[in-house]
Amino acid sequence: MFKEKDIRPDKIFDQYLELSKKDKIYFKKSNIFISCPACNKKTSKVFLFIKHGHKYNQCKTCETIYVSPRPSLSQLINYYRKSNSAKFFADVFYKKTKKARIEHLWKPKVDAIYDFIKDNKEKYAIYDIGGGYGIFADLFNKKFKKKVTVIEPDKTMYNHCVKKKIPAINKFLENIKKEDLKKEKKLFLSFELFEHLQSPNIFLKILKKIMSPGDIFIFTTLSSSGADIQNLEINSKSFSIQHLNFFNPDSIVSLLNKHKFKVIKVETPGQLDIDILSKQSNHIKNKLLKIMIKILSNKQKKVLQKNLSTENLSSHMRVFCCV
C-alpha cells in the first residue's frame, strides 16, 4: 500500500496550497448561486466554511458538498490558463510526481477498466474525456494493445498526444458530435474531472447526447462521505481551489438517475484515507477515531483502510453507468 507522500510530497503540495490561497482573487466576483447539483434542493442546505475564497455548503437531503456561489465557466478557464497555482501544478507538481502517479494511480486505473470490459474489449471504442497528455491512453495501449482516443480541448496537450501517436480530438465536449466518433459501441472515461466541473448537470446532458443505448460511462471523483474528508472537514486538503463538487455514493446515483443513466455500480477503492488521517491526526474531531489512529499498528491500519474501501467510505469514488 502506498502513502500520500508518494504522490503528493508535503513540501511541493504545501507550495501549491500557498499559491492557491493567493489565487482566490480569480474568483473574487463569483456570483453564480446554485441549488444542490445532485438533488436540486434550493433551501435544504447548511453552510460549512469558506476556503480559498469558496463557500462550501452541504445539502441536508443528500449530503452532497458543493460550492455556491461559484465561479463562471469563463472565470475557471481564466484561472486554469493564467493562475500561478494551476501553472505550478502542471509544470512542477505533476512533473515531479509523474512516475509515482503512473505507478500508484494510473496503472491501477488501467487494470480496473480492462477488468470491466475484458470479455468485450474489442467491442468498444474507448474515449478519455479531458485525457490531457494521454497518460492513461498510452498505458492502456501498451499493456492491452487497444487504442484509446483522448478528447482534449487544450492545444498543447492535444499536440503532445499527436506527437506520441495517441488518437486525439481537439475539442471541448460540448462541441463533439456523433459524427466525430466511431460507429461501434463506446466507452467514455473521465478521471478526476467531476469535482472540477462548473456544472455537472450540463456535462451529463452533453455527454448523454453523444451516447447511444449500450454505451458505458466510467468516471472517478471525490466522495464527500470519505473518512478523511468527513473527519478533517476544512483542514482536508481535498477542499482545494479547483474542487467545486463533492458527491457521495448515494447522491451520485440520484444525479445520474435524474439524467436517465443506469448505474451499474459505485465503489470507493481508495487507499489513502487512514494515511491522510494519521498525518493530520491533530485535526481529527472525533475523539475515539483520534485515539484509534494513534494506537493502531500498521497492520491494523491496513485492515481498517480495506474496510473503509469495501463499505464505500473512502474519499476516492469510482462510478460505472450506461445509457
Side-chain angles (χ1 to χ4, degrees):
M1 186 176 290
F2 68 102
K3 303 286 187 181
E4 185 190 25
K5 66 180 181 181
D6 295 327
I7 59 169
R8 292 192 285 263
D10 291 341
K11 186 177 179 180
I12 298 175
F13 198 35
D14 287 344
Q15 281 181 269
Y16 164 71
L17 293 175
E18 282 302 311
L19 290 170
S20 295
K21 289 179 185 178
K22 298 175 182 177
D23 282 339
K24 67 183 182 181
I25 59 171
Y26 282 88
F27 307 128
K28 192 174 182 180
K29 295 181 180 179
S30 295
N31 58 5
I32 297 178
F33 290 84
I34 68 165
S35 305
C36 171
C39 65
N40 203 36
K41 299 292 183 182
K42 293 183 178 180
T43 57
S44 177
K45 66 180 179 181
V46 177
F47 165 68
L48 295 180
F49 49 77
I50 293 176
K51 187 174 182 181
H52 296 159
H54 292 325
K55 182 179 179 181
Y56 287 93
N57 310 278
Q58 184 163 36
C59 178
K60 288 182 182 179
T61 304
C62 69
E63 299 187 350
T64 295
I65 297 174
Y66 60 99
V67 171
S68 180
R70 62 179 49 198
S72 65
L73 184 57
S74 60
Q75 283 178 306
L76 287 168
I77 291 172
N78 192 43
Y79 163 78
Y80 284 116
R81 285 178 177 172
K82 298 180 180 179
S83 74
N84 289 324
S85 57
K87 184 174 174 54
F88 179 86
F89 192 89
D91 296 344
V92 179
F93 183 95
Y94 203 88
K95 287 182 180 179
K96 287 194 175 183
T97 60
K98 182 179 177 181
K99 288 184 179 180
R101 284 174 171 267
I102 286 175
E103 191 63 34
H104 299 302
L105 301 181
W106 287 110
K107 286 184 177 180
K109 284 180 172 68
V110 165
D111 291 336
I113 299 304
Y114 180 78
D115 286 344
F116 186 75
I117 63 164
K118 61 185 177 183
D119 294 332
N120 297 292
K121 72 182 178 75
E122 298 307 324
K123 177 180 174 182
Y124 293 101
I126 306 175
Y127 295 89
D128 186 0
I129 303 169
Y133 292 106
I135 293 175
F136 175 88
D138 189 42
L139 289 171
F140 198 92
N141 185 42
K142 282 180 178 177
K143 187 166 186 178
F144 300 115
K145 308 303 178 188
K146 174 73 176 178
K147 294 281 188 181
V148 175
T149 300
V150 170
I151 298 175
E152 178 53 58
D154 183 86
K155 195 70 176 178
T156 300
M157 294 180 180
Y158 165 77
N159 287 337
H160 181 85
C161 290
V162 172
K163 190 175 181 180
K164 292 194 72 175
K165 296 183 179 179
I166 296 170
I169 300 173
N170 186 212
K171 290 184 179 182
F172 283 98
L173 181 65
E174 55 263 41
N175 296 324
I176 297 287
K177 298 178 181 178
K178 281 194 173 184
E179 304 88 79
D180 296 320
L181 309 174
K182 296 177 182 177
K183 292 183 179 179
E184 58 256 52
K185 294 292 184 185
K186 290 169 278 295
L187 167 62
F188 292 94
L189 306 171
S190 168
F191 301 113
E192 282 73 69
L193 175 65
F194 231 72
E195 60 266 31
H196 299 260
L197 294 174
Q198 202 279 337
S199 175
N201 282 282
I202 291 176
F203 176 90
L204 289 174
K205 284 180 182 177
I206 293 168
L207 179 61
K208 185 94 182 300
K209 285 181 180 179
I210 59 172
M211 293 180 74
S212 302
D215 288 353
I216 294 173
F217 176 39
I218 302 174
F219 64 100
T220 60
T221 187
L222 292 164
S223 170
S224 63
S225 60
D228 59 319
I229 290 174
Q230 279 286 312
N231 286 284
L232 295 176
E233 298 178 342
I234 191 172
N235 293 299
S236 170
K237 294 179 182 179
S238 290
F239 291 112
S240 72
I241 196 168
Q242 299 185 22
H243 296 161
L244 308 177
N245 315 293
F246 292 77
F247 296 93
N248 57 60
D250 291 326
S251 70
I252 200 69
V253 171
S254 297
L255 173 67
L256 290 165
N257 286 342
K258 184 169 67 175
H259 291 279
K260 309 299 181 185
F261 281 84
K262 300 171 187 175
V263 177
I264 300 168
K265 64 177 177 176
V266 179
E267 56 190 16
T268 65
Q271 300 181 52
L272 295 177
D273 306 77
I274 297 303
D275 181 54
I276 291 171
L277 287 169
S278 297
K279 285 174 59 180
Q280 294 184 256
S281 60
N282 57 314
H283 292 305
I284 297 175
K285 299 200 173 177
N286 184 294
K287 291 183 179 179
L288 178 59
L289 179 61
K290 196 169 189 175
I291 292 169
M292 287 177 61
I293 290 296
K294 286 186 176 181
I295 66 173
L296 290 179
S297 67
N298 288 334
K299 184 177 181 180
Q300 289 170 323
K301 286 180 179 179
K302 286 181 180 179
V303 173
L304 182 54
Q305 178 62 57
K306 186 175 181 180
N307 287 337
L308 289 175
S309 299
T310 302
E311 297 300 322
N312 273 0
L313 292 172
S314 171
S315 58
H316 175 65
M317 183 164 60
R318 187 161 59 208
V319 184
F320 301 74
C321 59
C322 63
V323 294

